[in-house]
Structures are given as C-alpha cells and as structure tokens.
Amino acid sequence: MAELSNCPKCDALFVMNQFRNICQNCYNEEEKAYETVYQYIRKRENRTAMMNQVVEATGVEETLILKFIKTGRLKLAQFPNLGYPCEKCGTSIREGKICSSCAVSLRKELQNHETEEERKKDIEKRDKQGAYFVFDDKLK
C-alpha cells in the first residue's frame, strides 16, 4: 500500500511504496551513482579495487555502495576485494550479516545461556522435591 512520506535524503514529499523509499529525484541520482560505480568496477583493471579506491575514483559515498551490495545490485562474487561490515564488530565480510568469529562467539554465548537455564531448572526441580520433617519434643 502506498503512503505519502518525506524523502529521507532531500525531505521532499513523495508517495512511498514497497519498491522505493526515496523520491524520484533521489532515485535518479542513486541510479546515476550505481552506473558510475558499476562502470568503474566492471573494467578488468578495477575488478580488484578495494572499497576506498572505488569511493575515491567514483566520488560515490561508501554508504551508497554498501546499499548496492546489500540489495544485491553489486554481486561480490565478481569483485573479490569488495565487502560490507559485520553488523556486530564491523569486520569486512562477503556474505551473511555477521563474520565467522562473531558467529562462533554468539553460538558459545547461546550455549552458555542454555546450560545456565538448564542448571536453574535442575535447582528449581530439586527444591520442589524436598521433604519436610516435623520434630515433636513429646516423643522423648
């Protein structure tokens, strides 16, 4: 469903839909920037360019190039030195949302959490199974 919104880049009023979250003018600018970047890295001598080299040569912001990568417009398989930052630590990665070391760390933390939860359940279960003894002084 389309709704009226302000463009996050230029604050112009436009009809936002599921395909576009910026106004037509900003969209056209992004398309020009995409073509500039793609034409640059498509050349054989520039395929191994690093992100900072692409930014320097094309004048396109790194955030916009990262947007092209994340939306799948630039395929990293064709460009071996391009990547995007891990969402946890910022290391450059080529697939997924987090790097392998952060994934290992998260798995370890999850496993520790599950172990702790299991231990808490065992303690709670033991406490419920306890017996109560009543001592009567008159039995002596």
Side-chain angles (χ1 to χ4, degrees):
M1 182 97 179
E3 67 180 64
L4 204 55
S5 182
N6 287 354
C7 177
K9 287 188 169 189
C10 68
D11 209 33
L13 200 58
F14 76 106
V15 178
M16 185 169 71
N17 58 31
Q18 65 188 30
F19 304 109
R20 224 181 270 162
N21 60 354
I22 56 175
C23 70
Q24 185 65 36
N25 292 336
C26 292
Y27 177 77
N28 291 340
E29 288 177 20
E30 276 191 10
E31 285 301 305
K32 287 177 189 173
Y34 171 76
E35 281 301 317
T36 303
V37 170
Y38 187 70
Q39 293 302 323
Y40 175 77
I41 61 177
R42 200 174 86 173
K43 293 178 184 173
R44 179 171 289 233
E45 64 269 12
N46 298 332
R47 286 191 184 170
T48 58
M50 302 291 278
M51 180 66 76
N52 57 353
Q53 293 170 328
V54 175
V55 170
E56 231 175 77
T58 61
V60 177
E61 296 175 3
E62 183 175 348
T63 55
L64 195 53
I65 296 172
L66 292 174
K67 180 180 177 182
F68 298 147
I69 292 171
K70 286 184 178 182
T71 57
R73 295 187 72 188
L74 292 177
K75 305 290 184 207
L76 293 180
Q78 299 169 355
F79 312 109
N81 291 334
L82 289 182
Y84 52 93
C86 166
E87 290 187 4
K88 188 172 182 195
C89 69
T91 304
S92 183
I93 57 174
R94 298 181 52 78
E95 61 183 29
K97 293 187 180 242
I98 58 174
C99 64
S100 58
S101 62
C102 288
V104 168
S105 172
L106 283 173
R107 278 191 207 102
K108 189 175 181 180
E109 288 175 19
L110 182 60
Q111 190 176 24
N112 288 343
H113 177 71
E114 288 173 350
T115 305
E116 184 65 24
E117 287 296 315
E118 189 69 30
R119 189 182 70 77
K120 284 180 182 178
K121 285 180 184 177
D122 286 345
I123 290 172
E124 191 176 292
K125 191 175 182 181
R126 262 188 270 140
D127 287 346
K128 286 183 180 179
Q129 291 178 351
Y132 294 99
F133 298 100
V134 177
F135 294 104
D136 193 1
D137 291 338
K138 293 181 184 180
L139 289 176
K140 288 184 184 180

